[in-house]
Amino acid sequence: MGARAYVVTGASSGIGEAVARRILSRGDAALLVARREDRLAALASAFPAARILACDLSAEGAADRVAAAVSALGPLAGFVHCAGFAAPAPIGMVEESAARALFAVHALFPLMFLGWLARRRNHADGASAVLVSSRSAREADVGNAAYASAKGAVEGLFATARAELAPRGVRVALYAPSEVDTDMARETWMRTASPERIAEIMARHPGGLPSADDAAAEIVAILDGEEKS
Amino acid sequence: MGVTDPMREFLDRVAEVLEVPEIGASDDFRAVPMWGSLMGFGLIVMIGQKYGRKVSAADIIAARTVSDLASLAGVAG
């Protein structure tokens, strides 16, 4: 079997970067998508089969832009959507522009991109897509109203997309971790949670927080069909 | 057209987060009726949204007065 082609969003840091590294390190090709071009370029520089696209996935038309860039890679073996951000705030302080962008990047973008995948049938046999959600989607974590709403939306997408794409030979999986040690975690709950809240969270991770690469290993196993989602 | 007083504006914003009609720079921000960890979080978020500063829970824990919060926000006065 020759090298397979993937698209990984959120590849500039955290889980997305770790997924991209695993895929590229085993000799597959990947389009790396994120906002920060310098980080993407640094990652891609070590891998000849990497392509980059600096793109804000919350912007209108983002799925079309990614689709155009992906076309150059040939039939896709996989789509991993790690891109996203959190803008924690009490519900009364949520900024509408931030909330719109959260819905757009977490749920609207993968909805439109999976639609392109289904429409153009531009995928390899046995292709898979992994959508990333979070335990936050179903837990009452203070400050996460907008983020949890957006992740709830991607969970809704997962159910329908899996059903519609299965007959086309595309597996859609959902990866919904609890806390992972990433820049996003450090900038959000690790910075703002009270010591009591942090102790509660860490009590659920007696061996320490999973690393981004730990999460990436689970995602790649899902992509390869080695795990049920 | 008046001149904006950054400290006045900051005090107004803090009062709004703390759900009190007004608050003074030397006041203990924890002395408000509704004080709790959600309000501490609200202060962190307000400072981030309005002043672009990334304040931590530890910063809030170490602060005593509204004036301390102003320093965290980079508001002179």
Side-chain angles (χ1 to χ4, degrees), chain A residues 113-131:
Chain A
F113 188 75
L114 287 176
W116 173 81
L117 206 61
R119 194 164 59 240
R120 295 301 181 85
R121 308 191 63 117
N122 188 14
H123 56 79
D125 289 336
S128 27
V130 178
L131 303 175

Side-chain angles (χ1 to χ4, degrees), chain A residues 87-123:
Chain A
I91 194 169
M93 297 176 70
V94 170
E95 293 176 320
E96 184 169 338
S97 57
R100 281 181 183 276
L102 278 166
F103 277 105
V105 68
H106 288 284
L108 179 60
F109 169 79
L111 167 62
M112 302 309 293
F113 188 75
L114 287 176
W116 173 81
L117 206 61
R119 194 164 59 240
R120 295 301 181 85
R121 308 191 63 117
N122 188 14
H123 56 79

